[in-house]
Amino acid sequence: MATSVTPMMKQYLTIKEQHEDALLFFRLGDFYELFYDDAVTASKVLEITLTARDKKKDPIPMCGVPHHSARNYIAKLIDNGYKVAICEQMEDPREVKGMVKRDVVRVITPGTLIDDFGMEDGRNNYLLALYEEAGLYSAAYADISTGELYAFSTSDEDELRSEVERVEPSEIVVDEESAHLLSMIYNDPPLYTVYGEAEAHDVEKEEGVREDEVLNLLLSYISANNMKSLIHFRPVRKHSISGAMKLNHAAISNLELLSNLQTKKEKGSLFWYLNRTETPMGKRKLRSWIERPLMNIPEIKARHDVVNIFLDNFIERADLIKLLNQVYDIERLVGRLSFGNIDAKDLIQIRDSLEGLPAIRSILTELGLLDFPIFKGFDALEDLHRILDDSLLDPPPKTVRDGNIFKSEYDEKLSELRYIQDNARSYLNEYLEAERERTGIKNIKIGFNKVFGYFIEISKVNAMNFDAEKFDYSRKQTLTNAERFITPELKEMETRILTAEDESIVLEYRLFTELRKEMEAYMERLQKTAEMISTLDCLLAFAEVSNTYRLTEPEFDREKFEVEDGRHPVVEKVIGENTYVPNDLRMDDGEFIYLITGPNMSGKSTYMRQVAIISIMAQMGMFVPAKRAVLPVFDAIFTRIGASDDLSSGKSTFMIEMMEANEALRKATKDSLLIFDEIGRGTSTYDGMALAESMLVYIHNFIGARTLFSTHYHELTRLDAELAGLGNYHVKATEYDGKLVFLHKVKPGAVEKSYGIHVARLAELPEEVTSYAREKLAALESGRKSGKADVYQLELPLDDLETAAGDTAKDVVQALKAVDVNTLTPLEGLQKLNELTSMVKDDHNE
C-alpha cells in the first residue's frame, strides 16, 4: 500500500505502523491531520468534518484540527479512552529541500497526562502496573504530573483488589504473563496496555521497597510514551497496606467518604464537609488522608496538636490561610518543568507561590511548629524567588515564542534591543532633525512602506537643486510631487528597528530555556516545600472545620469505645445543628455488638454511619462531632449498607450483600469495626433471618470485633440472652394523634413494635393499601398469638429430605416419625426432645 501513495503519505504510514494503538496527530503546517480509520474515529468523537484526500484518484478519509487549539481536542479524545500520538515536524520547512523529517514526540494516554489536558486539580491521576510471580502480586503506580511513585506487594487476591480499587487508576499496564490479573480485579477494567518491553531502571527507593520488576514495567511504559527523562520523580514510597486503616471500596462508597451515593458528586460527602483547603495540593492530600486514616497514635496526636495550636491562634490561622490562597499547584508545575512543558505563565505562578513563603515560615516559627517533624526544615526558597522576581515580566505572554517574558534589565543585549524598539520614533526624529540641518532642507520628512522600508522624502521643488551624491543619498522612487531617497545610516537604522523585535524574541526564548534548565536544580526543594504546604493546608482546614462545627479532640484507649452526643457531620451540616439529634455509644469487652431495631427512616443507618465516620475523622488527625469521644484505633472498617443490582456483572442485590459480608467476616479482626445494615433482606424471610443470626453468632464467637448491626428481624433480639457481648438497642419512635413521629434517639432495649405501615402512610401510599395492610397485620398478629398463623416460607422443591440429608438428620427424622405424641407424658416428651437435641449437638461437635 505504501508504494502506491505519495512520499508524504508513505512517511505517515511508516510512523503509524509504530503506533497502531493510538490516534496519530500528524503535523502538516499549522494543522494536525488524521487519516484513514483514525480520521473516521476522531471525526465522530470530536464532531468535526470528515473529508478526503486525493478525492479523484483514491480517496483517503481525513480530518484535522488547528495546531494552536489542539489541546482541547486531544483532551476530549483522552477523556473518551483513546491514546493520541503527537507527530511533529522535526525541521523547519523553510530550510529544508524535499520532505520534512517528522517523528512522534509524545504519546498521550489517560495515565500519562501532565496537567495540560484538562486534569482535575484536586485529584491524583494514577497509572498503575501489575505483575505476578509465584503467587505474589506486585503493583506500582505513579502520578506523572506530581512525581509521586508508590509500590506494594501482597499474596492475597482480595487485598490486591481492594488496594487497586482504592488507588483508582485511570490506566493500567501489564505484561503478558500478568494480564489475567485484570479480570481478577475488574468486571470492566479501565484502559490497559499489555506491554512486553520492560527495561531495568535505576530509581531511588525508600527503605523496604522491593518491587523491582513491576517498577521496571511501569517506568519503561512511561518512558516509551513520554520520550523524555522525567527527572522530577520522587523516591519510590512503600504503599503500606498494614500501616493505615483499611477501607475497601464498599466502605468508601457506603460511608460516602468521597462522593454522595445518590448523586455521585462531592457535595454531601465527608470530603465536601472537610474541604476548606486553599491549594490543589492540599485538596489531593485531603482525599488521600480520608482514604488512608492513620493507625499510629503518636502520628495522630501530632496532627491533633497542630490543630489545637491553630484553634488557639485565630489571627495567625487567618494569615496563613490568606497566604496559602496565593499558592498555585507547585507539584504539577514541577512536573511541567521536568517534562519541558512549562511556559512563562507557569514561571509567574511559581514566583507568586514563593512570594509568601517567608511570611509562612515566620508564622510557623512564631507558633513553634517548625519543631514538629512535619514542618521541620521548611524551605522558603528565597533564592529562587529572587531569580524569578528579578527576571520575569508581568503579565506573561501567551506563548514563549511571543517575547516580552523578561524585564529589560535582565540581559544587556535584551535591554539594547528593547531600547531600540521603544525609542524607534525618537531615533527617527533625531535623525530627521540632523538631516534637515545637514542638507539645509527644512521640509524633508521620513516615511515607510512595506516595499521600500524607511525612506527620506524631498519635495519636487527642493529635489531639482539637491545634490544627492554630495550627501550620500540614493534615489529610490520618483513621484509626481516628490523624490524618495535612502541613506546608509537610514538603512542601518531600518535594519536595527525591524530586526530588533525578531532578535529580542529569539533572544528571550534562548534566555527562557536557560532559566528553565537552571530551575531544574530547584525541583527537589520545591517538591519538599510543596509537601509541607499541602500538609499545612489540610491541618488549617481541620482547624477551620473544627471551629465552625464545634468539634472535639478525641482521646484514644484501645479498651474503650465511648461517644457522647455524637453527630453525623454531613447530615448535621445539611439539616442544621439545631435540628440534628445527637446520640451516645458505649462499648467495651463486655458488650461489643449493638443489635439495633427500629422503623425505616428513624435514623438507624445515619447512626451507624456516624460512628464509623467519627472513627475515621479521629484517625485522620481530625477533631470529631461529639461532646466527648474515647476511641480505640481500628485497623479496618467493613460495611454492608444498602444494595443495588450490579447488572453489568450479573450480580443481584443479595449476591453483592453476601460478597461484602463475606469479605468482612473473613478479613475482620478484633480491632476492626463492622457496620451491617439489614443483612438478609435480599432473600426470603426465614433465610435472611437465619443468615443474620448466624453472622451475629460468628462475629461474637470467632471475631470479637465491635459491631453495629441493624435489623427488621425482631426475633433476633432474643440473642441478648445467648450472646453475652450483644446488647439490644432501638431507635425511638412514637405515635401521636395516629401519626408516626421519629425521635431519632438510640435507646437500650429492643423496639416495642413495628411501624412499617406507618412509614408507608408517610410515603403517601393509597389509603386503601395501608388500611388493608393494617387489617392483614392484625389478623397475622392474632394468628401468631394463637398458634394458627397461616404464614409459610416459600421453598423450592429440592431433593427428598432423606436422600439429601446426612446420616444424623436421617436418624432424627426416623426417630420423630416413630414418636406418638398422643401417648407421651410431658416428662417423656421432654426426655425425647433432649435425646433428639443431643443427637444433633453431638453430630455438630464432631
Side-chain angles (χ1 to χ4, degrees), residues 107-127:
V107 179
I108 305 170
T109 72
T112 59
L113 293 176
I114 311 297
D115 69 331
D116 53 348
F117 289 99
M119 292 173 62
E120 186 177 337
D121 61 3
R123 287 176 180 265
N124 281 103
N125 184 61
Y126 288 123
L127 168 70

Side-chain angles (χ1 to χ4, degrees), residues 471-588:
F471 293 100
D472 204 13
Y473 275 44
S474 299
R475 194 180 304 275
K476 197 69 178 174
Q477 187 180 20
T478 299
L479 304 177
T480 303
N481 299 318
E483 295 285 344
R484 290 176 175 175
F485 301 88
I486 61 170
T487 67
E489 293 87 352
L490 184 59
K491 198 66 183 173
E492 181 183 349
M493 198 175 298
E494 174 189 273
T495 302
R496 292 177 66 195
I497 292 171
L498 294 180
T499 59
E501 183 176 355
D502 291 338
E503 286 185 23
S504 66
I505 289 174
V506 172
L507 174 60
E508 285 198 81
Y509 183 73
R510 179 174 63 79
L511 294 173
F512 176 80
T513 58
E514 290 173 357
L515 177 60
R516 184 174 63 194
K517 185 67 178 176
E518 181 182 358
M519 286 188 62
E520 290 179 0
Y522 292 89
M523 287 198 303
E524 186 176 352
R525 289 172 61 191
L526 281 165
Q527 287 177 326
K528 288 180 179 178
T529 296
E531 176 83 12
M532 292 185 185
I533 287 174
S534 63
T535 298
L536 174 63
D537 199 6
C538 285
L539 295 175
L540 283 166
F542 285 5
E544 283 290 293
V545 174
S546 298
N547 182 66
T548 302
Y549 297 110
R550 302 179 297 107
L551 306 188
T552 304
E553 182 179 3
E555 302 172 38
F556 290 97
D557 187 326
R558 296 190 182 277
E559 306 302 321
K560 294 182 179 180
F561 192 14
E562 300 175 3
V563 178
E564 183 180 347
D565 284 348
R567 293 119 51 201
H568 190 299
V570 179
V571 176
E572 182 188 41
K573 179 178 179 178
V574 171
I575 69 174
E577 61 178 299
N578 294 327
T579 305
Y580 193 88
V581 178
N583 273 297
D584 300 340
L585 176 138
R586 186 181 297 272
M587 286 184 176
D588 53 32

Side-chain angles (χ1 to χ4, degrees), residues 178-205:
S178 304
H180 67 282
L181 297 178
L182 292 168
S183 59
M184 187 179 86
I185 297 172
Y186 291 103
N187 293 319
D188 182 21
L191 179 72
Y192 68 90
T193 299
V194 179
Y195 189 75
E197 301 174 30
E199 299 176 354
H201 283 262
D202 185 17
V203 58
E204 188 178 352
K205 304 171 193 160

